[in-house]
Structure formats: C-alpha cells, structure tokens
Amino acid sequence: MRNKKKWLLVVSMLALVVVLTGCGTSEVSQSSSGVWDRYIVYYFGQAIEALSFGNPGIGIILFTIIIRIILMPLMHYQTKSMRKTQELQPKLKALQEKYASKDPDTVRKLQEEQQRLYSEHNVNPLSGCLPLVIQLPIMMALWQSISRIPSLTTGTFLWVELGKPDPYYILPILAAIFTFISTKLNAMGQPDTQGAMKAMTYLMPVLILFMGWQLASGLSLYWVVSNAFQVGQTLLINNPFKLRQEREKEAQRLRDIERALRKANMPKKKRK
C-alpha cells in the first residue's frame, strides 16, 4: 500500500507536467467564464497581487507561506498516520507471510485481514495521499495565475521574469535541493525506510528540477518556499534526529529489561 502511494505521487507529478504544459494561454480576468478561470485562477491571482506590496514575487512568497500554514494540521495528521502505519509493519508482514499464496481467495483474505488491522488501530492507509490531492490543484491554479494574468506574467523578482523559466536555473536547483532535504528528513523519521521511499528521496527532486527547468519561474519560487517551509516544519514538529534518539533509548531500555530477565532466570551457580 505504501509503495502504491509513493508511485501515485510520481504519476501525479508527471501528469501535472503534461497538464501544465498543455493548458491554454488565454488571459484570465474578472470577465472570464467558467468556474476554474473566473473563480479559482482569477482569485488566486488577486490574492497574490494583494500580498505583493509592489512586487509579485513577494506576493507568491507570502501566498505560499499562508497556504503552508493552512495545510499544517493536515500535514501533521499525515505524519502521525505514517508513524502509526510504520508501527503496524511487523504485523502486516506477518499477515503477508501467513497469506503468501496468490490465489484469489487467499488474496481476498489478506486484504480483509489488513483492513481489519487498520480499523483496529484507527489507521487510514490512504491518508498520506490527501495532502497531494489538495496541493496539486493549488499548484495548477498558481501556475495558471502566473501564466495567464498579465500583471503576474510580466512581473519580475530578483533576476527572473515570473512568467518565464529561470534563465540561470537557480530557482529550479534550489527547489530540487529543498525537495531532497525535505524527503530525506521524512525518510529519516521512519523506523523502516523501504526501497520505494528511498527511491522517492532521489526521484522527487529530479522531477521538481525537470519541471522547474520547463515551467514559469514563479512556480519554481513557490516550490522553493514551500519545501523550505516543509524542512523547517519537519525539524520543529517531527525532528528525525530526535525521533532516532528516542527510538535508540527505547531499544536500549528493552535490551536492558531483556538482559535483566535473563539474569534473573539464570541458575545461581551460573550467575556466580
């Protein structure tokens, strides 16, 4: 299930590239028709302009921070859910070994037992996909706002024109670096990092770099700020270094208990 979620993320990001590069380029204004253009893309642009203080790049930065703050409870819930799912991994592996056969009845029984286990521990294995489901439309609306609202398309920030790719590729590279750090910290916070998650640690930055290379630099700016915020949030709320120390202390405590029990059960002559 976890592997499926990781590959769902990859497929979704690739689909985003296709959708964004294929979207229309007609201008969006208050007179635009359609729910998406008139009420989502247009008002995204209005929000960015309201936060710009004379520079749309500042508007994108502040808009991104606000979005990340709004999503913080959801991201915290995702982290807690992932931790619970990790704690169930030994039991899930035991079920997979018990129902190893691939015949339809055994597969169905395995799925039923897995669902029962998730229900007993109040775990939703699909909860990790929820932040992705929410963030993809946000990224699409943001990109279209930058690309289809003239004041944002021609706006500049530092060395870039927001509606065009970064000519020096600095923002895409920074976005890829922060994406790598974010996914790496997330992987470090898990007690059992599997192959799919290790692959995602390196694949996601490559996807972000590729997209940033092709698309408007305003979107790269969003990724830089969003992933930098995610790094800070992870270090503050779900610090993997602290979690590792806690796991090591717990493992040492269990070893001490086991050693004490073995010593208590040893015959007196052997103890001498």
Side-chain angles (χ1 to χ4, degrees), residues 151-187:
S151 59
L152 298 181
T153 301
T154 58
T156 59
F157 180 70
L158 299 177
W159 64 90
V160 296
E161 187 172 336
L162 296 173
K164 297 179 180 179
D166 184 344
Y168 305 114
Y169 311 114
I170 295 174
L171 288 178
I173 291 171
L174 286 176
I177 290 172
F178 280 117
T179 301
F180 173 78
I181 296 173
S182 176
T183 53
K184 184 67 175 179
L185 289 173
N186 186 45

PDB file of all heavy atoms in Angstrom, residues 151-187:
ATOM      1  N   SER A 151      -0.372  40.987 -15.258  1.00  0.00           N
ATOM      2  CA  SER A 151       0.423  41.664 -14.230  1.00  0.00           C
ATOM      3  C   SER A 151       1.372  40.711 -13.523  1.00  0.00           C
ATOM      4  O   SER A 151       2.428  41.133 -13.028  1.00  0.00           O
ATOM      5  CB  SER A 151      -0.502  42.327 -13.201  1.00  0.00           C
ATOM      6  OG  SER A 151      -1.336  41.354 -12.585  1.00  0.00           O
ATOM      7  N   LEU A 152       1.014  39.419 -13.488  1.00  0.00           N
ATOM      8  CA  LEU A 152       1.895  38.421 -12.880  1.00  0.00           C
ATOM      9  C   LEU A 152       2.861  37.853 -13.913  1.00  0.00           C
ATOM     10  O   LEU A 152       4.026  37.583 -13.607  1.00  0.00           O
ATOM     11  CB  LEU A 152       1.068  37.293 -12.256  1.00  0.00           C
ATOM     12  CG  LEU A 152       0.121  37.684 -11.117  1.00  0.00           C
ATOM     13  CD1 LEU A 152      -0.600  36.453 -10.579  1.00  0.00           C
ATOM     14  CD2 LEU A 152       0.862  38.386  -9.997  1.00  0.00           C
ATOM     15  N   THR A 153       2.374  37.662 -15.125  1.00  0.00           N
ATOM     16  CA  THR A 153       3.213  37.079 -16.183  1.00  0.00           C
ATOM     17  C   THR A 153       4.431  37.946 -16.472  1.00  0.00           C
ATOM     18  O   THR A 153       5.542  37.438 -16.654  1.00  0.00           O
ATOM     19  CB  THR A 153       2.396  36.913 -17.476  1.00  0.00           C
ATOM     20  OG1 THR A 153       1.267  36.072 -17.205  1.00  0.00           O
ATOM     21  CG2 THR A 153       3.227  36.257 -18.568  1.00  0.00           C
ATOM     22  N   THR A 154       4.229  39.251 -16.493  1.00  0.00           N
ATOM     23  CA  THR A 154       5.339  40.159 -16.806  1.00  0.00           C
ATOM     24  C   THR A 154       6.052  40.656 -15.554  1.00  0.00           C
ATOM     25  O   THR A 154       7.002  41.433 -15.647  1.00  0.00           O
ATOM     26  CB  THR A 154       4.813  41.368 -17.598  1.00  0.00           C
ATOM     27  OG1 THR A 154       3.801  42.034 -16.815  1.00  0.00           O
ATOM     28  CG2 THR A 154       4.210  40.926 -18.920  1.00  0.00           C
ATOM     29  N   GLY A 155       5.583  40.230 -14.392  1.00  0.00           N
ATOM     30  CA  GLY A 155       6.212  40.662 -13.150  1.00  0.00           C
ATOM     31  C   GLY A 155       7.607  40.083 -12.995  1.00  0.00           C
ATOM     32  O   GLY A 155       7.916  39.016 -13.522  1.00  0.00           O
ATOM     33  N   THR A 156       8.459  40.802 -12.289  1.00  0.00           N
ATOM     34  CA  THR A 156       9.840  40.354 -12.084  1.00  0.00           C
ATOM     35  C   THR A 156      10.125  40.205 -10.592  1.00  0.00           C
ATOM     36  O   THR A 156       9.502  40.880  -9.747  1.00  0.00           O
ATOM     37  CB  THR A 156      10.848  41.338 -12.697  1.00  0.00           C
ATOM     38  OG1 THR A 156      10.672  42.625 -12.101  1.00  0.00           O
ATOM     39  CG2 THR A 156      10.652  41.420 -14.202  1.00  0.00           C
ATOM     40  N   PHE A 157      11.069  39.342 -10.290  1.00  0.00           N
ATOM     41  CA  PHE A 157      11.529  39.163  -8.915  1.00  0.00           C
ATOM     42  C   PHE A 157      12.998  38.788  -8.972  1.00  0.00           C
ATOM     43  O   PHE A 157      13.363  37.772  -9.570  1.00  0.00           O
ATOM     44  CB  PHE A 157      10.722  38.073  -8.215  1.00  0.00           C
ATOM     45  CG  PHE A 157      11.154  37.838  -6.788  1.00  0.00           C
ATOM     46  CD1 PHE A 157      10.902  38.783  -5.810  1.00  0.00           C
ATOM     47  CD2 PHE A 157      11.812  36.667  -6.432  1.00  0.00           C
ATOM     48  CE1 PHE A 157      11.300  38.572  -4.492  1.00  0.00           C
ATOM     49  CE2 PHE A 157      12.213  36.446  -5.127  1.00  0.00           C
ATOM     50  CZ  PHE A 157      11.962  37.408  -4.147  1.00  0.00           C
ATOM     51  N   LEU A 158      13.824  39.626  -8.369  1.00  0.00           N
ATOM     52  CA  LEU A 158      15.276  39.443  -8.450  1.00  0.00           C
ATOM     53  C   LEU A 158      15.697  39.375  -9.920  1.00  0.00           C
ATOM     54  O   LEU A 158      15.504  40.310 -10.660  1.00  0.00           O
ATOM     55  CB  LEU A 158      15.698  38.209  -7.653  1.00  0.00           C
ATOM     56  CG  LEU A 158      15.386  38.265  -6.140  1.00  0.00           C
ATOM     57  CD1 LEU A 158      15.785  36.963  -5.452  1.00  0.00           C
ATOM     58  CD2 LEU A 158      16.056  39.453  -5.469  1.00  0.00           C
ATOM     59  N   TRP A 159      16.224  38.232 -10.368  1.00  0.00           N
ATOM     60  CA  TRP A 159      16.746  38.149 -11.741  1.00  0.00           C
ATOM     61  C   TRP A 159      15.771  37.490 -12.724  1.00  0.00           C
ATOM     62  O   TRP A 159      16.093  37.325 -13.889  1.00  0.00           O
ATOM     63  CB  TRP A 159      18.055  37.335 -11.753  1.00  0.00           C
ATOM     64  CG  TRP A 159      17.845  35.902 -11.340  1.00  0.00           C
ATOM     65  CD1 TRP A 159      17.554  34.846 -12.153  1.00  0.00           C
ATOM     66  CD2 TRP A 159      17.868  35.376 -10.020  1.00  0.00           C
ATOM     67  NE1 TRP A 159      17.393  33.686 -11.425  1.00  0.00           N
ATOM     68  CE2 TRP A 159      17.601  34.000 -10.101  1.00  0.00           C
ATOM     69  CE3 TRP A 159      18.111  35.945  -8.758  1.00  0.00           C
ATOM     70  CZ2 TRP A 159      17.551  33.170  -8.971  1.00  0.00           C
ATOM     71  CZ3 TRP A 159      18.062  35.120  -7.638  1.00  0.00           C
ATOM     72  CH2 TRP A 159      17.790  33.760  -7.758  1.00  0.00           C
ATOM     73  N   VAL A 160      14.568  37.110 -12.271  1.00  0.00           N
ATOM     74  CA  VAL A 160      13.670  36.328 -13.134  1.00  0.00           C
ATOM     75  C   VAL A 160      12.430  37.123 -13.513  1.00  0.00           C
ATOM     76  O   VAL A 160      11.979  38.012 -12.784  1.00  0.00           O
ATOM     77  CB  VAL A 160      13.227  35.015 -12.445  1.00  0.00           C
ATOM     78  CG1 VAL A 160      14.419  34.111 -12.201  1.00  0.00           C
ATOM     79  CG2 VAL A 160      12.478  35.288 -11.145  1.00  0.00           C
ATOM     80  N   GLU A 161      11.895  36.788 -14.686  1.00  0.00           N
ATOM     81  CA  GLU A 161      10.555  37.209 -15.077  1.00  0.00           C
ATOM     82  C   GLU A 161       9.638  36.049 -14.734  1.00  0.00           C
ATOM     83  O   GLU A 161       9.803  34.940 -15.239  1.00  0.00           O
ATOM     84  CB  GLU A 161      10.506  37.520 -16.573  1.00  0.00           C
ATOM     85  CG  GLU A 161       9.179  38.123 -17.000  1.00  0.00           C
ATOM     86  CD  GLU A 161       9.193  38.603 -18.444  1.00  0.00           C
ATOM     87  OE1 GLU A 161      10.296  38.891 -18.968  1.00  0.00           O
ATOM     88  OE2 GLU A 161       8.108  38.673 -19.047  1.00  0.00           O
ATOM     89  N   LEU A 162       8.671  36.292 -13.868  1.00  0.00           N
ATOM     90  CA  LEU A 162       7.909  35.223 -13.231  1.00  0.00           C
ATOM     91  C   LEU A 162       7.168  34.327 -14.214  1.00  0.00           C
ATOM     92  O   LEU A 162       6.936  33.155 -13.937  1.00  0.00           O
ATOM     93  CB  LEU A 162       6.918  35.819 -12.222  1.00  0.00           C
ATOM     94  CG  LEU A 162       7.567  36.538 -11.033  1.00  0.00           C
ATOM     95  CD1 LEU A 162       6.516  37.244 -10.191  1.00  0.00           C
ATOM     96  CD2 LEU A 162       8.358  35.558 -10.181  1.00  0.00           C
ATOM     97  N   GLY A 163       6.781  34.865 -15.362  1.00  0.00           N
ATOM     98  CA  GLY A 163       6.046  34.070 -16.336  1.00  0.00           C
ATOM     99  C   GLY A 163       6.920  33.223 -17.238  1.00  0.00           C
ATOM    100  O   GLY A 163       6.405  32.480 -18.077  1.00  0.00           O
ATOM    101  N   LYS A 164       8.248  33.323 -17.098  1.00  0.00           N
ATOM    102  CA  LYS A 164       9.171  32.565 -17.940  1.00  0.00           C
ATOM    103  C   LYS A 164      10.095  31.707 -17.083  1.00  0.00           C
ATOM    104  O   LYS A 164      10.284  31.996 -15.901  1.00  0.00           O
ATOM    105  CB  LYS A 164      10.015  33.527 -18.795  1.00  0.00           C
ATOM    106  CG  LYS A 164       9.200  34.365 -19.766  1.00  0.00           C
ATOM    107  CD  LYS A 164      10.099  35.303 -20.553  1.00  0.00           C
ATOM    108  CE  LYS A 164       9.299  36.147 -21.532  1.00  0.00           C
ATOM    109  NZ  LYS A 164      10.181  37.084 -22.291  1.00  0.00           N
ATOM    110  N   PRO A 165      10.702  30.669 -17.670  1.00  0.00           N
ATOM    111  CA  PRO A 165      11.652  29.851 -16.903  1.00  0.00           C
ATOM    112  C   PRO A 165      12.853  30.671 -16.440  1.00  0.00           C
ATOM    113  O   PRO A 165      13.231  31.652 -17.076  1.00  0.00           O
ATOM    114  CB  PRO A 165      12.075  28.765 -17.902  1.00  0.00           C
ATOM    115  CG  PRO A 165      10.963  28.711 -18.902  1.00  0.00           C
ATOM    116  CD  PRO A 165      10.448  30.114 -19.011  1.00  0.00           C
ATOM    117  N   ASP A 166      13.413  30.261 -15.317  1.00  0.00           N
ATOM    118  CA  ASP A 166      14.603  30.919 -14.779  1.00  0.00           C
ATOM    119  C   ASP A 166      15.759  30.761 -15.776  1.00  0.00           C
ATOM    120  O   ASP A 166      16.185  29.647 -16.060  1.00  0.00           O
ATOM    121  CB  ASP A 166      14.963  30.266 -13.439  1.00  0.00           C
ATOM    122  CG  ASP A 166      16.138  30.951 -12.758  1.00  0.00           C
ATOM    123  OD1 ASP A 166      16.856  31.719 -13.417  1.00  0.00           O
ATOM    124  OD2 ASP A 166      16.334  30.695 -11.558  1.00  0.00           O
ATOM    125  N   PRO A 167      16.306  31.845 -16.316  1.00  0.00           N
ATOM    126  CA  PRO A 167      17.372  31.726 -17.332  1.00  0.00           C
ATOM    127  C   PRO A 167      18.664  31.131 -16.776  1.00  0.00           C
ATOM    128  O   PRO A 167      19.477  30.589 -17.526  1.00  0.00           O
ATOM    129  CB  PRO A 167      17.584  33.169 -17.800  1.00  0.00           C
ATOM    130  CG  PRO A 167      17.122  34.013 -16.658  1.00  0.00           C
ATOM    131  CD  PRO A 167      15.992  33.257 -16.031  1.00  0.00           C
ATOM    132  N   TYR A 168      18.877  31.242 -15.465  1.00  0.00           N
ATOM    133  CA  TYR A 168      20.104  30.712 -14.854  1.00  0.00           C
ATOM    134  C   TYR A 168      19.853  29.406 -14.087  1.00  0.00           C
ATOM    135  O   TYR A 168      20.781  28.853 -13.500  1.00  0.00           O
ATOM    136  CB  TYR A 168      20.711  31.760 -13.916  1.00  0.00           C
ATOM    137  CG  TYR A 168      20.963  33.087 -14.589  1.00  0.00           C
ATOM    138  CD1 TYR A 168      20.253  34.221 -14.210  1.00  0.00           C
ATOM    139  CD2 TYR A 168      21.900  33.195 -15.608  1.00  0.00           C
ATOM    140  CE1 TYR A 168      20.476  35.441 -14.835  1.00  0.00           C
ATOM    141  CE2 TYR A 168      22.126  34.405 -16.243  1.00  0.00           C
ATOM    142  CZ  TYR A 168      21.406  35.525 -15.854  1.00  0.00           C
ATOM    143  OH  TYR A 168      21.625  36.732 -16.492  1.00  0.00           O
ATOM    144  N   TYR A 169      18.586  28.956 -14.065  1.00  0.00           N
ATOM    145  CA  TYR A 169      18.205  27.679 -13.437  1.00  0.00           C
ATOM    146  C   TYR A 169      18.496  27.636 -11.940  1.00  0.00           C
ATOM    147  O   TYR A 169      18.579  26.551 -11.347  1.00  0.00           O
ATOM    148  CB  TYR A 169      18.904  26.499 -14.130  1.00  0.00           C
ATOM    149  CG  TYR A 169      18.777  26.530 -15.633  1.00  0.00           C
ATOM    150  CD1 TYR A 169      19.883  26.714 -16.446  1.00  0.00           C
ATOM    151  CD2 TYR A 169      17.532  26.404 -16.245  1.00  0.00           C
ATOM    152  CE1 TYR A 169      19.760  26.769 -17.826  1.00  0.00           C
ATOM    153  CE2 TYR A 169      17.395  26.448 -17.626  1.00  0.00           C
ATOM    154  CZ  TYR A 169      18.511  26.639 -18.415  1.00  0.00           C
ATOM    155  OH  TYR A 169      18.386  26.690 -19.776  1.00  0.00           O
ATOM    156  N   ILE A 170      18.621  28.794 -11.318  1.00  0.00           N
ATOM    157  CA  ILE A 170      18.934  28.831  -9.884  1.00  0.00           C
ATOM    158  C   ILE A 170      17.730  28.383  -9.059  1.00  0.00           C
ATOM    159  O   ILE A 170      17.870  27.564  -8.127  1.00  0.00           O
ATOM    160  CB  ILE A 170      19.381  30.247  -9.468  1.00  0.00           C
ATOM    161  CG1 ILE A 170      20.700  30.596 -10.166  1.00  0.00           C
ATOM    162  CG2 ILE A 170      19.540  30.346  -7.952  1.00  0.00           C
ATOM    163  CD1 ILE A 170      21.155  32.033  -9.940  1.00  0.00           C
ATOM    164  N   LEU A 171      16.540  28.904  -9.381  1.00  0.00           N
ATOM    165  CA  LEU A 171      15.343  28.525  -8.628  1.00  0.00           C
ATOM    166  C   LEU A 171      15.003  27.040  -8.764  1.00  0.00           C
ATOM    167  O   LEU A 171      14.696  26.381  -7.761  1.00  0.00           O
ATOM    168  CB  LEU A 171      14.155  29.397  -9.047  1.00  0.00           C
ATOM    169  CG  LEU A 171      14.197  30.860  -8.587  1.00  0.00           C
ATOM    170  CD1 LEU A 171      12.985  31.614  -9.104  1.00  0.00           C
ATOM    171  CD2 LEU A 171      14.269  30.949  -7.069  1.00  0.00           C
ATOM    172  N   PRO A 172      15.045  26.465  -9.992  1.00  0.00           N
ATOM    173  CA  PRO A 172      14.805  25.020 -10.082  1.00  0.00           C
ATOM    174  C   PRO A 172      15.797  24.196  -9.266  1.00  0.00           C
ATOM    175  O   PRO A 172      15.416  23.194  -8.640  1.00  0.00           O
ATOM    176  CB  PRO A 172      14.941  24.732 -11.583  1.00  0.00           C
ATOM    177  CG  PRO A 172      14.626  26.014 -12.250  1.00  0.00           C
ATOM    178  CD  PRO A 172      15.154  27.079 -11.326  1.00  0.00           C
ATOM    179  N   ILE A 173      17.060  24.601  -9.256  1.00  0.00           N
ATOM    180  CA  ILE A 173      18.075  23.859  -8.491  1.00  0.00           C
ATOM    181  C   ILE A 173      17.804  23.979  -6.994  1.00  0.00           C
ATOM    182  O   ILE A 173      17.865  22.984  -6.249  1.00  0.00           O
ATOM    183  CB  ILE A 173      19.489  24.366  -8.840  1.00  0.00           C
ATOM    184  CG1 ILE A 173      19.837  23.973 -10.283  1.00  0.00           C
ATOM    185  CG2 ILE A 173      20.527  23.791  -7.874  1.00  0.00           C
ATOM    186  CD1 ILE A 173      21.126  24.604 -10.802  1.00  0.00           C
ATOM    187  N   LEU A 174      17.470  25.202  -6.526  1.00  0.00           N
ATOM    188  CA  LEU A 174      17.134  25.376  -5.107  1.00  0.00           C
ATOM    189  C   LEU A 174      15.895  24.573  -4.735  1.00  0.00           C
ATOM    190  O   LEU A 174      15.838  23.963  -3.660  1.00  0.00           O
ATOM    191  CB  LEU A 174      16.904  26.861  -4.810  1.00  0.00           C
ATOM    192  CG  LEU A 174      18.141  27.759  -4.759  1.00  0.00           C
ATOM    193  CD1 LEU A 174      17.727  29.212  -4.565  1.00  0.00           C
ATOM    194  CD2 LEU A 174      19.075  27.320  -3.634  1.00  0.00           C
ATOM    195  N   ALA A 175      14.891  24.568  -5.640  1.00  0.00           N
ATOM    196  CA  ALA A 175      13.673  23.786  -5.378  1.00  0.00           C
ATOM    197  C   ALA A 175      14.004  22.307  -5.252  1.00  0.00           C
ATOM    198  O   ALA A 175      13.480  21.617  -4.371  1.00  0.00           O
ATOM    199  CB  ALA A 175      12.657  24.024  -6.503  1.00  0.00           C
ATOM    200  N   ALA A 176      14.878  21.802  -6.130  1.00  0.00           N
ATOM    201  CA  ALA A 176      15.270  20.390  -6.073  1.00  0.00           C
ATOM    202  C   ALA A 176      16.041  20.088  -4.786  1.00  0.00           C
ATOM    203  O   ALA A 176      15.833  19.039  -4.158  1.00  0.00           O
ATOM    204  CB  ALA A 176      16.122  20.039  -7.289  1.00  0.00           C
ATOM    205  N   ILE A 177      16.914  21.003  -4.373  1.00  0.00           N
ATOM    206  CA  ILE A 177      17.699  20.794  -3.144  1.00  0.00           C
ATOM    207  C   ILE A 177      16.782  20.732  -1.920  1.00  0.00           C
ATOM    208  O   ILE A 177      16.899  19.831  -1.081  1.00  0.00           O
ATOM    209  CB  ILE A 177      18.749  21.912  -2.988  1.00  0.00           C
ATOM    210  CG1 ILE A 177      19.841  21.762  -4.040  1.00  0.00           C
ATOM    211  CG2 ILE A 177      19.366  21.880  -1.580  1.00  0.00           C
ATOM    212  CD1 ILE A 177      20.815  22.930  -4.089  1.00  0.00           C
ATOM    213  N   PHE A 178      15.863  21.684  -1.812  1.00  0.00           N
ATOM    214  CA  PHE A 178      14.958  21.693  -0.663  1.00  0.00           C
ATOM    215  C   PHE A 178      14.003  20.495  -0.696  1.00  0.00           C
ATOM    216  O   PHE A 178      13.623  19.967   0.353  1.00  0.00           O
ATOM    217  CB  PHE A 178      14.174  23.000  -0.594  1.00  0.00           C
ATOM    218  CG  PHE A 178      14.943  24.142  -0.004  1.00  0.00           C
ATOM    219  CD1 PHE A 178      15.241  25.268  -0.755  1.00  0.00           C
ATOM    220  CD2 PHE A 178      15.391  24.087   1.298  1.00  0.00           C
ATOM    221  CE1 PHE A 178      15.968  26.320  -0.214  1.00  0.00           C
ATOM    222  CE2 PHE A 178      16.113  25.131   1.857  1.00  0.00           C
ATOM    223  CZ  PHE A 178      16.404  26.256   1.099  1.00  0.00           C
ATOM    224  N   THR A 179      13.627  20.066  -1.905  1.00  0.00           N
ATOM    225  CA  THR A 179      12.796  18.866  -2.015  1.00  0.00           C
ATOM    226  C   THR A 179      13.553  17.648  -1.515  1.00  0.00           C
ATOM    227  O   THR A 179      13.003  16.808  -0.785  1.00  0.00           O
ATOM    228  CB  THR A 179      12.356  18.635  -3.476  1.00  0.00           C
ATOM    229  OG1 THR A 179      11.629  19.775  -3.939  1.00  0.00           O
ATOM    230  CG2 THR A 179      11.472  17.394  -3.600  1.00  0.00           C
ATOM    231  N   PHE A 180      14.826  17.545  -1.891  1.00  0.00           N
ATOM    232  CA  PHE A 180      15.656  16.428  -1.431  1.00  0.00           C
ATOM    233  C   PHE A 180      15.790  16.434   0.093  1.00  0.00           C
ATOM    234  O   PHE A 180      15.622  15.396   0.753  1.00  0.00           O
ATOM    235  CB  PHE A 180      17.041  16.489  -2.072  1.00  0.00           C
ATOM    236  CG  PHE A 180      17.995  15.468  -1.516  1.00  0.00           C
ATOM    237  CD1 PHE A 180      17.919  14.141  -1.906  1.00  0.00           C
ATOM    238  CD2 PHE A 180      18.964  15.837  -0.587  1.00  0.00           C
ATOM    239  CE1 PHE A 180      18.788  13.192  -1.376  1.00  0.00           C
ATOM    240  CE2 PHE A 180      19.833  14.908  -0.055  1.00  0.00           C
ATOM    241  CZ  PHE A 180      19.753  13.576  -0.448  1.00  0.00           C
ATOM    242  N   ILE A 181      16.090  17.602   0.660  1.00  0.00           N
ATOM    243  CA  ILE A 181      16.249  17.682   2.117  1.00  0.00           C
ATOM    244  C   ILE A 181      14.957  17.311   2.819  1.00  0.00           C
ATOM    245  O   ILE A 181      14.958  16.566   3.815  1.00  0.00           O
ATOM    246  CB  ILE A 181      16.691  19.106   2.527  1.00  0.00           C
ATOM    247  CG1 ILE A 181      18.071  19.421   1.943  1.00  0.00           C
ATOM    248  CG2 ILE A 181      16.722  19.242   4.049  1.00  0.00           C
ATOM    249  CD1 ILE A 181      18.507  20.869   2.151  1.00  0.00           C
ATOM    250  N   SER A 182      13.831  17.800   2.288  1.00  0.00           N
ATOM    251  CA  SER A 182      12.525  17.509   2.894  1.00  0.00           C
ATOM    252  C   SER A 182      12.210  16.015   2.868  1.00  0.00           C
ATOM    253  O   SER A 182      11.816  15.429   3.881  1.00  0.00           O
ATOM    254  CB  SER A 182      11.434  18.290   2.160  1.00  0.00           C
ATOM    255  OG  SER A 182      10.155  17.963   2.666  1.00  0.00           O
ATOM    256  N   THR A 183      12.372  15.385   1.695  1.00  0.00           N
ATOM    257  CA  THR A 183      12.071  13.951   1.589  1.00  0.00           C
ATOM    258  C   THR A 183      13.069  13.109   2.380  1.00  0.00           C
ATOM    259  O   THR A 183      12.715  12.077   2.941  1.00  0.00           O
ATOM    260  CB  THR A 183      12.068  13.503   0.118  1.00  0.00           C
ATOM    261  OG1 THR A 183      13.292  13.903  -0.510  1.00  0.00           O
ATOM    262  CG2 THR A 183      10.900  14.120  -0.642  1.00  0.00           C
ATOM    263  N   LYS A 184      14.338  13.570   2.439  1.00  0.00           N
ATOM    264  CA  LYS A 184      15.352  12.854   3.212  1.00  0.00           C
ATOM    265  C   LYS A 184      15.033  12.890   4.701  1.00  0.00           C
ATOM    266  O   LYS A 184      15.126  11.863   5.400  1.00  0.00           O
ATOM    267  CB  LYS A 184      16.724  13.478   2.951  1.00  0.00           C
ATOM    268  CG  LYS A 184      17.891  12.762   3.631  1.00  0.00           C
ATOM    269  CD  LYS A 184      18.108  11.384   3.040  1.00  0.00           C
ATOM    270  CE  LYS A 184      19.342  10.731   3.620  1.00  0.00           C
ATOM    271  NZ  LYS A 184      19.563   9.371   3.072  1.00  0.00           N
ATOM    272  N   LEU A 185      14.652  14.054   5.211  1.00  0.00           N
ATOM    273  CA  LEU A 185      14.281  14.167   6.619  1.00  0.00           C
ATOM    274  C   LEU A 185      13.063  13.320   6.932  1.00  0.00           C
ATOM    275  O   LEU A 185      12.988  12.680   7.986  1.00  0.00           O
ATOM    276  CB  LEU A 185      14.002  15.635   6.974  1.00  0.00           C
ATOM    277  CG  LEU A 185      15.212  16.571   7.022  1.00  0.00           C
ATOM    278  CD1 LEU A 185      14.753  18.015   7.220  1.00  0.00           C
ATOM    279  CD2 LEU A 185      16.169  16.163   8.137  1.00  0.00           C
ATOM    280  N   ASN A 186      12.112  13.303   6.011  1.00  0.00           N
ATOM    281  CA  ASN A 186      10.913  12.490   6.197  1.00  0.00           C
ATOM    282  C   ASN A 186      11.265  11.006   6.255  1.00  0.00           C
ATOM    283  O   ASN A 186      10.745  10.262   7.079  1.00  0.00           O
ATOM    284  CB  ASN A 186       9.921  12.753   5.069  1.00  0.00           C
ATOM    285  CG  ASN A 186       8.597  12.055   5.292  1.00  0.00           C
ATOM    286  OD1 ASN A 186       8.050  12.080   6.387  1.00  0.00           O
ATOM    287  ND2 ASN A 186       8.082  11.414   4.261  1.00  0.00           N
ATOM    288  N   ALA A 187      12.171  10.582   5.371  1.00  0.00           N
ATOM    289  CA  ALA A 187      12.601   9.178   5.368  1.00  0.00           C
ATOM    290  C   ALA A 187      13.367   8.834   6.638  1.00  0.00           C
ATOM    291  O   ALA A 187      13.207   7.736   7.191  1.00  0.00           O
ATOM    292  CB  ALA A 187      13.473   8.911   4.138  1.00  0.00           C
TER     293      ALA A 187
END
